[in-house]
Amino acid sequence: MFCTSAARKPSVAAIDGLALGGGLEVAMVGTQRLPRLVGLAKSLEMMLTSKPVKGEEALGLGLVDAVVSSHELVNAARQWALDILARRKPWVATLYKTDKIEPLGEARQILNFARAQTRKRAPNLKHPLVCIDVIEEGIVNGPKPALYKEVEAFQGLLKSDTSKSLIHIFFAQRGTSKVPGITDRGLVPRKVKKVAILGGGLMGSGIATALLLSNYTVILKEVNEKFLEAGIGRVKANLGSRVKKGQMTQEKFEKTMSLLRGVLDFESFRDVDMVIEAVIENVSLKQQIFADLEKYCPPHCILASNTSTIDLNLIGKRTKSQDRIIGAHFFSPAHIMPLLEIVRTEHTSPQIIVDLLDVGKKIKKTPIIVGNCTGFAVNRMFFPYTQAGLFLVERGTDVYRIDRAITKFGMPMGPFRLADLVGFGVAIATGSQFIENFPERTYKSMLIPIMQEDKRAGESTRKGFYLYDNKRKASPDPELKMYIEKARSISGVAVDPKFVKLSEKDIVEMIFFPVVNEACRVFAEGIAVKASDIDIAAVMGMGFPPYRGGLMFWADSLGSKYIYSRLEEWSNLYGEFFKPCAFLAERAAKGAPLVSKLQTVHILLHYSIGYFMSLLHPLEALWASTVSRNLMRAFFFPLI
């Protein structure tokens, strides 16, 4: 990429590879040039939605001046600078370009539309609106006042909770694959070329799709032709949607599908490098499958299960290959959701863990390594999420008010919309695991079983807590009250007036504090290696808002003492479901945070930045010095 500056000397930026967020901003020195290079509408789309553009498109837009191969990049950049000096190429002061900026009235309409969309999409975020304000300042009053405003606005945003949260998430995500005692042993990942998937349902077909997209050879096994055909059809549909969206060519689609083979037996498993079991959550079925896998798969083969709740030791009980058994828990839809929970037992070989970490990265997932227990990290932490919702509903809080409060907080959907999406069958199956393993802290409600008995099973049946039309659009169902009243009568719970009028703040706290409580247990028991892994698990596995820093980071912003006091109060009033765990009680007694604060990370730019800054307009140098102190500016402008 090449651009020129408004300074006394021309400057050329040469970028090798991706230049997302901060990388592009450093090259351009701020947000003022992008609208002048690509036009207001396109620049707003890029800044507010984080939508990247490829090299050729960037060239067509005028964002870059040339696209060259990697090995030619430095020489081409040098030559470009010499050509500017010799006046063979124009020295364009991009900061003062106006040919792509709409007339003021039209520009303000575009900016106001962007503000309205931003408030709708990200009601809790301030920084996208600040970004729009700074752009408007440049269009109305020119680039110099806008640069002053940008520096001032940036300094304010730098100290915000959103800034701290997103910086935390940035480093936490990059730290997930570093595990003491595993990744520091010098083990080299073995090559995984061929992977077998057992089960072609939603999860199995999604996992197969994720692997195929990264050019793995995949064998998909089902129990009969009908199920196999359906499984392959799901994979085709997943890939076909990418073709429709222009993300994949028809030729690439056909080449990718050629990597998939459907089978009905284990014969072709004799040379696979990894197997991922993705059948229904049935212990005896999984035990039989793993016993069969041990017979047919080669000795080096990774034996992985996609189970979301069942203890891996129980799954591998009938085998002698405990060192090869590992959890590969994907989240639905598996080819889209970014998180991969890698579950290790006390027997799992470090080599197997390193191998699966490598596969996870290659299929573009963020892997977190967790210990073996019922529900592992994500499902165990978030099981109280729906239970707390059921507790509130039985005492009089409206289902739809709860979901609205939780989505307003920043979750993609509330507990009841989520239950509909997952399906009541899955909810009951996983619920039984928790009741069996953690009976003392499980809130037992009959609401979901009662609804399922009446053939309401969630979105798949078009009836659950919501009604669904042909396009799966959800709307409230007046009939729901009847099921709630029946559940109350079975539970012996009466409507409590204070729950009918519960504030949004109380709804959020009564839903999430039990989740925080369980997360504290997960951390204290060593199921999660680091508290920051819990934050990434919550953000990428359940959609917890990243601008709140993840579950544990958010909890520490409120304070262990406060969370403990609320849970203790509710526990005394309503029972064991809310009882604070020992770890939370201990931290609160000390007035200590739940986790140690991450040390401040100082990022030093290469000394050449200093030289680059010397070429800039004084205002731009001020901006760039801010960047050199904190590269995290990249996180203040995308809507996440």
Side-chain angles (χ1 to χ4, degrees):
M1 172 189 151
F2 307 91
C3 60
T4 52
S5 170
R8 294 185 304 273
K9 300 175 186 176
S11 62
V12 175
I15 296 176
D16 186 8
L18 295 174
L20 300 177
L24 180 59
E25 289 181 25
V26 168
M28 291 193 305
V29 197
T31 59
Q32 290 304 305
R33 283 175 176 74
L34 189 58
R36 299 169 192 279
L37 289 169
V38 304
L40 185 55
K42 185 64 180 180
S43 67
L44 285 166
E45 177 191 301
M46 290 175 67
M47 285 189 267
L48 299 176
T49 69
S50 298
K51 186 177 179 181
V53 296
K54 293 183 179 178
E56 292 302 328
E57 184 187 353
L59 182 62
L61 288 169
L63 178 59
V64 301
D65 295 298
V67 176
V68 299
S69 62
S70 180
H71 68 275
E72 296 173 330
L73 182 65
V74 175
N75 286 336
R78 286 173 177 156
Q79 187 59 51
W80 199 284
L82 290 170
D83 286 348
I84 292 174
L85 192 64
R87 301 187 183 278
R88 288 189 294 268
K89 292 194 187 298
W91 181 5
V92 181
T94 54
L95 192 61
Y96 297 94
K97 275 172 63 72
T98 58
D99 57 299
K100 290 194 178 179
I101 299 293
E102 290 81 357
L104 185 58
E106 189 180 337
R108 278 189 158 144
Q109 283 183 339
I110 293 170
L111 290 161
N112 287 335
F113 178 76
R115 283 191 182 93
Q117 291 295 104
T118 297
R119 289 189 183 102
K120 185 178 178 181
R121 292 183 54 194
N124 299 325
L125 298 182
K126 177 184 176 185
H127 56 274
L129 295 172
V130 173
C131 179
I132 296 170
D133 290 345
V134 170
I135 292 168
E136 183 168 32
E137 180 72 19
I139 290 170
V140 174
N141 295 316
K144 284 187 180 180
L147 287 168
Y148 276 118
K149 184 165 184 171
E150 186 174 76
V151 171
E152 184 182 348
F154 170 64
Q155 293 293 347
L157 291 171
L158 185 62
K159 299 167 188 173
S160 69
D161 290 340
T162 301
S163 165
K164 293 169 188 172
S165 297
L166 291 174
I167 291 170
H168 169 71
I169 288 296
F170 175 83
F171 286 111
Q173 183 179 351
R174 279 143 188 82
T176 57
S177 57
K178 292 180 174 60
V179 185
I182 300 294
T183 57
D184 52 7
R185 297 172 61 155
L187 294 170
V188 178
R190 296 173 299 173
K191 273 197 171 182
V192 172
K193 296 179 182 176
K194 194 174 186 180
V195 183
I197 311 286
L198 280 91
L202 280 176
M203 286 306 301
S205 59
I207 295 167
T209 305
L211 289 160
L212 291 167
L213 285 168
S214 293
N215 298 314
Y216 284 93
T217 299
V218 177
I219 294 171
L220 184 64
K221 182 188 178 299
E222 262 295 358
V223 293
N224 59 45
E225 286 285 357
K226 182 183 175 183
F227 285 178
L228 182 58
E229 190 179 329
I232 292 173
R234 290 186 188 99
V235 175
K236 279 184 178 176
N238 290 340
L239 295 174
S241 70
R242 295 177 71 86
V243 176
K244 287 177 185 174
K245 293 173 185 174
Q247 298 169 341
M248 177 183 277
T249 64
Q250 185 63 33
E251 183 184 359
K252 178 65 175 172
F253 168 82
E254 289 166 9
K255 188 177 179 181
T256 304
M257 280 301 300
S258 72
L259 297 171
L260 178 66
R261 181 184 165 205
V263 300
L264 298 174
D265 56 42
F266 288 104
E267 286 304 317
S268 53
F269 282 44
R270 297 190 185 277
D271 64 343
V272 297
D273 302 305
M274 180 167 73
V275 176
I276 303 175
E277 167 270 310
V279 303
I280 59 171
E281 294 287 76
N282 180 291
V283 174
S284 59
L285 174 60
K286 289 178 187 284
Q287 286 176 336
Q288 182 58 54
I289 284 171
F290 274 78
D292 289 336
L293 290 174
E294 192 174 40
K295 294 174 192 172
Y296 288 95
C297 296
H300 75 276
C301 181
I302 301 165
L303 305 179
S305 173
N306 181 57
T307 180
S308 57
T309 54
I310 303 173
D311 189 313
L312 289 173
N313 290 325
L314 193 58
I315 288 174
K317 191 177 180 181
R318 298 183 193 172
T319 75
K320 295 176 183 176
S321 301
Q322 300 280 345
D323 62 326
R324 290 195 282 155
I325 293 176
I326 194 166
H329 180 213
F330 291 79
F331 294 78
S332 184
H335 57 297
I336 294 172
M337 291 291 281
L339 187 69
L340 171 62
E341 255 186 331
I342 297 177
V343 188
R344 59 176 171 173
T345 72
E346 65 274 20
H347 307 295
T348 307
S349 156
Q351 183 65 59
I352 296 290
I353 298 170
V354 169
D355 293 343
L356 188 51
L357 265 173
D358 187 56
V359 173
K361 290 174 186 174
K362 283 177 177 169
I363 61 173
K364 300 177 177 61
K365 303 296 180 189
T366 296
I368 60 163
I369 296 177
V370 299
N372 181 37
C373 67
T374 300
F376 315 127
V378 178
N379 283 342
R380 180 173 162 188
M381 289 188 304
F382 273 86
F383 190 72
Y385 183 63
T386 302
Q387 284 191 335
L390 292 167
F391 168 86
L392 294 180
V393 166
E394 289 196 350
R395 278 154 184 79
T397 313
D398 179 66
V399 163
Y400 308 115
R401 263 194 74 225
I402 293 170
D403 273 5
R404 282 196 300 272
I406 297 303
T407 51
K408 189 175 178 182
F409 173 79
M411 293 293 285
M413 57 186 72
F416 300 106
R417 179 67 185 86
L418 179 65
D420 276 1
L421 180 67
V422 171
F424 292 179
V426 173
I428 291 170
T430 55
S432 64
Q433 289 287 323
F434 279 84
I435 290 168
E436 184 180 334
N437 289 277
F438 311 117
E440 75 287 351
R441 58 178 187 268
T442 303
Y443 181 74
K444 301 172 185 69
S445 169
M446 288 301 294
L447 180 54
I448 289 178
I450 288 169
M451 292 167 70
Q452 193 183 38
E453 279 178 13
D454 206 12
K455 297 182 179 177
R456 299 174 72 105
E459 191 177 311
S460 62
T461 59
R462 296 196 184 176
K463 281 186 178 183
F465 289 100
Y466 294 81
L467 293 175
Y468 297 89
D469 62 18
N470 292 334
K471 295 182 179 178
R472 297 199 164 187
K473 184 180 177 182
S475 59
D477 184 3
E479 289 185 8
L480 187 62
K481 291 178 182 177
M482 174 183 70
Y483 298 99
I484 294 171
E485 286 168 7
K486 190 173 180 180
R488 282 183 188 135
S489 65
I490 294 171
S491 302
V493 176
V495 172
D496 185 333
K498 70 172 175 266
F499 281 90
V500 176
K501 297 180 180 178
L502 209 61
S503 70
E504 283 188 354
K505 175 178 175 290
D506 284 337
I507 289 173
V508 167
E509 291 182 356
M510 293 194 88
I511 294 289
F512 276 113
F513 284 5
V515 177
V516 170
N517 199 25
E518 198 62 38
C520 286
R521 292 188 180 98
V522 166
F523 181 52
E525 292 170 20
I527 300 301
V529 180
K530 305 182 287 293
S532 57
D533 286 352
I534 291 176
D535 289 332
I536 293 299
V539 168
M540 294 193 166
M542 291 297 294
F544 193 86
Y547 56 80
R548 297 191 187 275
L551 187 66
M552 297 292 270
F553 191 90
W554 171 72
D556 265 337
S557 73
L558 300 176
S560 58
K561 213 166 187 176
Y562 176 71
I563 294 172
Y564 172 82
S565 67
R566 299 297 322 257
L567 286 169
E568 182 73 3
E569 176 192 347
W570 300 331
S571 176
N572 292 333
L573 290 170
Y574 310 116
E576 293 282 298
F577 175 70
F578 291 104
K579 186 176 181 181
C581 69
F583 176 82
L584 178 55
E586 177 195 334
R587 304 305 285 174
K590 293 177 180 177
L594 298 176
V595 291
S596 299
K597 298 294 180 186
L598 285 176
Q599 292 182 352
T600 303
V601 180
H602 297 286
I603 300 175
L604 300 176
L605 294 183
H606 193 268
Y607 68 87
S608 62
I609 283 290
Y611 174 71
F612 172 61
M613 285 167 55
S614 73
L615 304 177
L616 303 177
H617 185 285
L619 288 174
E620 295 171 327
L622 176 60
W623 186 92
S625 68
T626 309
V627 174
S628 70
R629 289 196 302 272
N630 193 319
L631 276 181
M632 293 306 100
R633 188 178 194 282
F635 297 102
F636 301 145
F637 293 109
L639 290 185
I640 296 180

